[in-house]
């Protein structure tokens, strides 16, 4: 471009706004003295071809700095520099020589901040990612929009977008990309899940991690991506389209393709901290634009950062300016990218006031819950942080769902066979009313999970007594030591058929418990085919076959996959497994039909809950009050003892019989039977329930 024509512009929406004549730029900074907009011809340029100086007299309105540049268009590249006081003790860290990303950049070019940090600014800038101007109006969404699937009908499949297809075993044309995921949509359809929950896909720099694998010498990566650089930008390297802004189009293609088959997209978002680190970190955006606004700083020593995230800094999320940033970001992903929901990492950090104290009525989380645009958007909190915040059951804002770690731990202990956990397990199966009822919420606000990305896979939960994280380069000190796991006689893989059969049986038990429990079930990609991480319970840095989905498992463990597919189908077909409200008990019985839930001891008597141990029996009434439609009755018996037991089956309603739908002790494909193929019980009164097994009967 031979000459650049600029106008003062005006405080349009923050970020960039494309017009036929050029582009408006707007950024926030309260304490800057000057701001420089730098324009680049290509991603590899070390120096800009033009610098626009924003004058505070003509290019500033309040705290907003703005300029209009004629002739710029989508695909053009830019960065910022900001001049102001460098006074860390007062919270200021301005550096006019440091290139900065637009905090609202919608796309980035290829490159890395951390991989190429070399002496010599110009050489460093050759590999420094550039911000890309994007015009969201040039994409044809056709008739696509967020799906708004009711929570009670949701089944969430947590996955790492790259890792799902990165392995050569995936045999996709575009491995490790948004398009690669599109290629695997038929597999997701076959599972019957309602949503994919993607680990972070907002732009991050995987080379932030400098640890080395002590066994191979390979540099570790920030594989999971919980260290955001660009909150409005889908990750460049996850796109097969490498043209400037191509990652935005490809992300939209993925969302549209998933929506076309009825699958929602939920994003794991990280607003609790950023990649800029602590006082020894690097300025990338927020620190360089206005450090003291965006971060929690130590009150009397503002050169230091509060660290409620455990990652070096903590975002000052309830400052009005930061609130606006987060709300605008969520709006962007819903309105322009059509995502269906968000899971908020370490969400208790978002409840801290400007002094860092947990606020019971946090403005941001309440605002998110009440926001008009987000009203039909799923919002899921990880209701704790690394600074001691723990808000399970009372996360502020009203309609928030929560990751329920009580469910995870209680079901793990019960299936493992721990003593006197039956009461706990019964409460979790029934929707955790002890946690959610007092706050006026319902079972649908409990995200039930047994495994997540953070921890053992389900296969490893029944294969290892201890974590094996040596390859992470941290001396096996990282990761949780309290895994509530059991290896059933041998640490690691084994060819012993007795141990192997028991492990498979326990995996069937875990999946069965998850799918018959009230609440919203979530499981990790690969658990359905026994994916292993070889005992690594903190594979955040393993961008390799340790973490990637091994598609050979689909064939090798096809019987387990079929079991899970049928189990999901069973849950989807019957409303008794996914109620909107808590059980009412005896008062819900009508027309001589059983109530919505009844509990039994193994001999058919009313349980003495002080003595219940390793056994649970429950009947779900399909015609009880409170259900949207009539359903079948179900009887579920759970024996987590080491001994078989003969149980008494409650009498079915008049004119009906009990049919076996599930028996997890059966090691072939008849462990679960499709609708219409269930097996009539020879005895309608008794059943021999094998040790470590679950029985599901349907009344017809």
């Amino acid at each position: 471009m031979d000459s650049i024509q600029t106008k003062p512009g005006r405080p349009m929406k923050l970020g960039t706004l494309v017009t036929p004549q050029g582009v408006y730029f707007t950024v926030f900074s309260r304490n800057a003295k000057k701001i420089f907009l730098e324009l680049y011809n290509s991603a590899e340029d070390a120096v800009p071809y033009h610098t626009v100086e924003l004058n505070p007299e003509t290019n500033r309105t309040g705290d907003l700095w703005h300029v209009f540049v004629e002739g710029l268009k989508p695909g053009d590249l830019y960065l910022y520099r900001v001049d102001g006081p460098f006074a860390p003790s007062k919270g200021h860290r301005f550096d006019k020589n440091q290139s900065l990303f637009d905090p609202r950049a919608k796309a980035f070019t290829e490159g890395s901040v951390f991989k190429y940090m070399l002496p010599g600014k110009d050489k460093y800038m050759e590999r420094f990612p550039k911000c890309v101007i994007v015009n969201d109006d040039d994409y044809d969404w056709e008739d696509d929009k967020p799906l708004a699937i009711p929570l009670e009908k949701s089944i969430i499949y947590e996955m790492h977008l790259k890792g799902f297809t990165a392995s050569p075993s995936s045999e996709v044309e575009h491995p490790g990309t948004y398009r690669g995921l599109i290629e695997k949509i038929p597999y997701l359809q076959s599972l019957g899940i309602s949503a994919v929950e993607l680990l972070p896909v907002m732009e991050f720099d995987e080379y932030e991690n400098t640890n080395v694998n002590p066994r191979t010498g390979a540099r570790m990566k920030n594989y999971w991506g919980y260290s955001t650089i660009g909150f409005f930008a889908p990750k460049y390297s996850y796109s097969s389209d490498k043209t400037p802004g191509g990652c935005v189009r490809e992300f939209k293609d993925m969302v549209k393709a998933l929506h076309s088959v009825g699958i929602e997209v939920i994003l794991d978002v990280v607003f609790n901290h950023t990649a800029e680190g602590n006082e020894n970190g690097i300025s990338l955006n927020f620190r360089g634009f206005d450090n003291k606004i965006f971060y929690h700083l130590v009150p009397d020593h503002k050169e230091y950062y509060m660290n409620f995230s455990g990652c070096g800094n903590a975002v000052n999320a309830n400052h009005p300016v930061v609130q606006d940033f987060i709300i605008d970001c969520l709006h962007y992903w819903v309105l322009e990218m059509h995502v269906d929901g968000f899971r908020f990492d370490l969400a208790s950090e978002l409840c801290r006031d400007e002094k860092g104290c947990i606020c019971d009525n946090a403005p941001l989380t309440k605002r998110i819950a009440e926001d008009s645009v987000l009203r039909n958007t799923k919002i899921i909190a990880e209701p704790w942080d690394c600074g001691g915040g723990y808000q399970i059951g009372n996360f502020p804002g009203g309609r928030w769902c929560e990751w329920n770690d009580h469910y995870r731990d209680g079901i793990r202990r019960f299936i493992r066979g721990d003593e006197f956990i039956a009461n706990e397990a019964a409460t979790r199966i029934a929707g955790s009313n002890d946690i959610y009822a007092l706050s006026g919420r319902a079972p649908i606000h409990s995200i039930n999970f047994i495994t997540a990305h953070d921890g053992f896979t389900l296969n490893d939960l029944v294969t290892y007594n201890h974590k094996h994280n040596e390859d992470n380069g941290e001396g096996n000190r990282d990761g949780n030591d309290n895994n509530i796991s059991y290896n059933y006689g041998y640490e690691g893989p084994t060819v012993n058929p007795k141990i192997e059969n028991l492990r498979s049986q326990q995996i069937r038990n875990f999946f069965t418990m998850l799918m018959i429990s009230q609440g919203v079930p979530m499981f990790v990609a690969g658990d359905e085919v026994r994916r292993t991480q070889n005992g690594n319970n903190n594979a955040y840095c393993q961008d390799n076959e340790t973490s990637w989905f091994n598609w050979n498992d689909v064939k090798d463990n096809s019987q387990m996959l079929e079991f899970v597919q049928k189990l999901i189908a069973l849950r989807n077909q019957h409303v008794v497994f996914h109620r909107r409200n808590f059980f009412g008990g005896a008062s819900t019985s009508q027309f001589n039909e059983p109530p919505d839930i009844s509990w039994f001891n193994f001999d058919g008597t009313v349980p003495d809950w002080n003595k219940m141990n390793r056994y649970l029996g429950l009947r779900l009434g399909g015609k009880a009050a409170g259900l949207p439609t009539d359903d079948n009755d179900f009887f579920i018996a759970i024996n987590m003892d080491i001994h078989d037991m003969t149980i008494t089956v409650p009498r079915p309603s008049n004119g009906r019989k009990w049919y076996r739908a599930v028996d997890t002790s059966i090691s072939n494909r008849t462990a679960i039977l499709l609708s219409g193929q269930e097996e009539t019980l020879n005895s309608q009164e008794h059943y021999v329930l094998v040790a470590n097994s679950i029985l599901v009967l349907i009344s017809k």
Side-chain angles (χ1 to χ4, degrees):
M1 192 175 294
D2 296 331
S3 63
I4 296 293
Q5 299 295 321
T6 66
K7 296 179 181 179
R10 56 187 186 272
M12 309 290 284
K13 69 176 185 179
L14 284 153
T16 57
L17 178 64
V18 177
T19 73
Q21 293 75 37
V23 178
Y24 287 92
F25 295 83
T26 308
V27 293
F28 166 88
S29 183
R30 180 167 298 169
N31 295 291
K33 302 304 181 185
K34 288 183 181 180
I35 292 182
F36 304 91
L37 171 65
E38 299 188 324
L39 306 176
Y40 290 82
N41 277 318
S42 73
E44 296 78 23
D45 285 353
V47 295
Y49 71 83
H50 188 81
T51 298
V52 180
E53 181 177 330
L54 277 63
N55 188 309
E57 299 299 321
T58 56
N59 298 100
R60 181 173 186 175
T61 303
D63 293 335
L64 299 184
W65 298 69
H66 43 77
V67 68
F68 177 79
V69 183
E70 293 184 357
L72 292 187
K73 60 188 183 304
D76 287 342
L77 311 179
Y78 69 103
L79 291 169
Y80 284 101
R81 289 185 295 110
V82 180
D83 190 10
F86 182 78
S89 63
K90 297 181 179 180
H92 298 309
R93 291 183 176 270
F94 293 99
D95 179 359
K96 67 179 180 180
N97 297 314
Q98 175 65 45
S99 294
L100 300 172
F101 302 128
D102 181 353
R104 296 174 185 243
K106 297 176 181 177
F108 290 77
T109 62
E110 184 177 11
S112 170
V113 175
F114 296 98
K115 186 176 182 180
Y116 302 106
M117 279 185 173
L118 301 171
K121 179 75 172 177
D122 288 352
K123 186 169 184 179
Y124 172 47
M125 290 305 298
E126 291 176 2
R127 302 300 182 92
F128 195 91
K130 313 301 189 295
C131 302
V132 181
I133 296 171
V134 171
N135 182 11
D136 285 298
D137 293 335
D138 64 3
Y139 184 82
D140 183 6
W141 277 105
E142 301 173 84
D143 59 351
D144 181 82
K145 59 183 180 180
L147 297 178
I149 295 172
L151 279 165
E152 69 271 18
K153 295 182 179 179
S154 297
I155 298 176
I156 299 173
Y157 189 66
E158 190 198 34
M159 70 159 69
H160 189 287
L161 186 135
K162 176 182 179 179
F164 194 56
T165 61
S167 170
S169 65
S170 70
E171 297 182 344
V172 299
E173 186 177 351
H174 304 287
T177 66
Y178 308 116
R179 196 157 301 284
L181 177 55
I182 293 173
E183 295 180 64
K184 288 297 186 182
I185 285 178
Y187 177 81
L188 299 175
Q189 282 182 279
S190 75
L191 275 178
I193 51 100
S194 72
V196 292
E197 182 175 303
L198 303 177
L199 268 67
V201 295
M202 294 177 180
E203 189 65 62
F204 65 92
D205 191 334
E206 53 265 65
Y207 292 99
E208 179 185 7
N209 189 352
T210 59
N211 290 344
V212 173
N213 185 324
R215 182 174 55 84
T216 67
R219 179 173 175 173
M220 299 285 92
K221 293 183 180 179
N222 174 14
Y223 170 67
W224 284 350
Y226 288 92
S227 196
T228 311
I229 283 175
F231 288 86
F232 286 70
K235 184 159 175 59
Y236 169 88
S237 67
Y238 289 175
S239 176
S240 64
D241 183 348
K242 301 301 183 183
T243 60
C247 55
V248 177
R249 293 186 293 273
E250 191 167 313
F251 182 91
K252 292 177 178 179
D253 287 343
M254 177 195 70
V255 173
K256 186 163 64 172
L258 285 163
H259 282 178
S260 71
V261 297
I263 296 176
E264 293 186 319
V265 177
I266 298 172
L267 300 186
D268 196 336
V269 292
V270 190
F271 291 113
N272 59 79
H273 74 283
T274 76
E276 293 187 295
N278 61 16
E279 58 276 4
N280 299 314
I282 181 174
S283 293
L284 299 172
N285 38 36
F286 301 109
R287 186 198 301 253
F289 276 99
D290 225 316
N291 181 64
K292 68 182 297 184
I293 298 290
F294 285 99
Y295 292 111
H296 284 293
L297 305 178
V298 176
D300 297 328
H301 295 278
K302 294 184 184 297
E303 64 270 33
Y304 299 113
Y305 293 78
M306 304 293 279
N307 189 20
F308 307 121
S309 68
C311 298
N313 63 53
V315 171
N316 188 13
N318 283 293
H319 188 288
V321 170
V322 186
Q323 283 187 54
D324 285 346
F325 176 86
I326 294 173
I327 292 293
D328 288 350
C329 182
L330 298 176
H331 283 181
Y332 178 76
W333 286 96
V334 171
L335 296 175
E336 299 293 349
M337 308 296 262
H338 285 207
V339 304
D340 303 89
F342 304 95
R343 178 266 186 188
F344 293 78
D345 180 64
L346 297 180
S348 286
E349 200 282 326
L350 307 182
C351 300
R352 294 184 180 273
D353 62 22
E354 293 189 48
K355 295 182 180 179
C357 300
I358 291 285
C359 181
D360 291 335
N361 194 23
L364 174 63
T365 57
K366 184 175 181 179
R367 188 174 167 188
I368 291 171
E370 296 294 335
D371 185 84
S372 300
V373 171
L374 304 176
R375 196 59 189 166
N376 293 323
T377 301
K378 293 176 174 63
I379 51 173
I380 303 169
E382 183 182 34
W384 50 79
D385 64 18
C386 294
Y390 186 76
Q391 296 170 291
I392 184 77
N394 61 355
F395 193 81
R399 71 179 186 90
W400 284 81
C401 300
E402 299 174 357
W403 271 25
N404 188 347
D405 61 332
H406 288 266
Y407 182 92
R408 176 196 64 197
D409 295 349
I411 298 302
R412 284 189 182 192
R413 290 190 175 96
F414 184 60
I415 297 296
R416 189 172 65 174
D418 288 14
E419 291 271 18
F420 298 105
I421 303 296
N423 293 25
E424 167 87 0
T427 305
R428 303 300 151 236
I429 291 170
S432 297
N433 65 331
D434 61 327
I435 296 174
Y436 297 106
L438 283 176
S439 61
R441 283 182 283 178
I444 56 175
H445 294 109
S446 173
I447 304 298
N448 296 335
F449 68 104
I450 295 158
T451 58
H453 67 276
D454 188 2
F456 279 148
T457 67
L458 193 53
N459 178 81
D460 291 358
L461 191 67
V462 298
T463 306
Y464 297 92
N465 284 352
H466 310 286
K467 65 184 184 185
H468 296 271
N469 299 354
E470 291 80 6
D471 280 0
N472 291 357
E474 300 182 40
N476 204 33
R477 295 183 300 274
D478 61 304
N480 198 335
D481 293 313
N482 182 29
N483 295 290
I484 317 178
S485 62
Y486 187 44
N487 65 21
Y488 296 94
Y490 185 82
E491 187 76 354
T494 180
V495 294
N496 183 311
K498 184 176 180 180
I499 295 175
E500 180 61 16
N501 288 339
L502 183 53
R503 288 174 177 175
S504 292
Q505 186 168 316
Q506 291 291 66
I507 291 173
R508 291 194 293 272
N509 288 334
F510 277 121
F511 266 115
T512 302
M513 290 287 276
L514 187 63
M515 293 303 162
I516 60 95
S517 295
Q518 303 300 319
V520 179
M522 182 192 80
F523 64 101
V524 181
D527 275 356
E528 73 278 12
V529 290
R530 297 192 61 175
R531 185 180 73 85
T532 181
Q533 292 179 172
N534 303 309
N536 192 324
N537 76 348
N538 189 34
Y540 76 99
C541 55
Q542 299 292 335
D543 187 3
N544 50 50
E545 295 284 358
T546 297
S547 297
W548 297 344
F549 192 113
N550 183 351
W551 287 89
N552 294 321
D553 290 340
V554 174
K555 178 179 64 177
D556 296 343
N557 294 300
S558 61
Q559 188 169 307
M560 185 64 72
L561 173 60
E562 182 180 316
F563 180 86
V564 176
Q565 289 169 327
K566 291 178 179 178
L567 197 58
I568 291 173
L570 178 69
R571 179 184 175 88
N572 286 336
Q573 289 164 5
H574 295 283
V575 295
V576 295
F577 297 126
H578 47 81
R579 301 168 50 88
R580 281 197 64 85
N581 300 304
F582 288 114
F583 292 110
S587 64
T588 64
S589 177
Q590 54 186 1
F591 308 117
N592 295 319
E593 297 287 349
D596 53 13
I597 192 167
S598 312
W599 296 95
F600 301 89
N601 204 343
F602 75 94
D603 58 1
T605 60
V606 176
D608 180 346
W609 289 105
N610 293 317
K611 298 180 180 179
M612 292 294 285
N613 189 27
R614 296 179 178 153
Y615 177 82
L616 283 173
L618 62 147
R619 180 175 58 196
L620 301 178
K623 291 182 173 57
L627 289 173
T629 59
D630 284 350
D631 199 355
N632 302 88
D633 297 341
F634 282 84
F635 176 68
I636 301 163
I638 307 164
N639 176 17
M640 289 300 119
D641 205 346
I642 60 173
H643 303 292
D644 301 348
M645 61 174 64
T646 299
I647 65 168
T648 298
V649 179
R651 181 174 300 182
S653 299
N654 290 339
R656 298 177 211 152
K657 291 184 177 181
W658 288 116
Y659 295 77
R660 181 184 68 81
V662 181
D663 185 337
T664 62
S665 69
I666 298 173
S667 59
N668 58 43
R669 295 183 186 275
T670 67
I672 183 168
L673 300 168
L674 291 172
S675 178
Q677 300 176 4
E678 298 94 344
E679 183 178 76
T680 310
L681 290 195
N682 291 328
S683 168
Q684 291 286 308
E685 298 177 354
H686 298 94
Y687 194 94
V688 177
L689 188 57
V690 173
N692 297 113
S693 69
I694 300 176
L695 171 71
V696 179
L697 303 180
I698 183 171
S699 172
K700 294 195 292 186

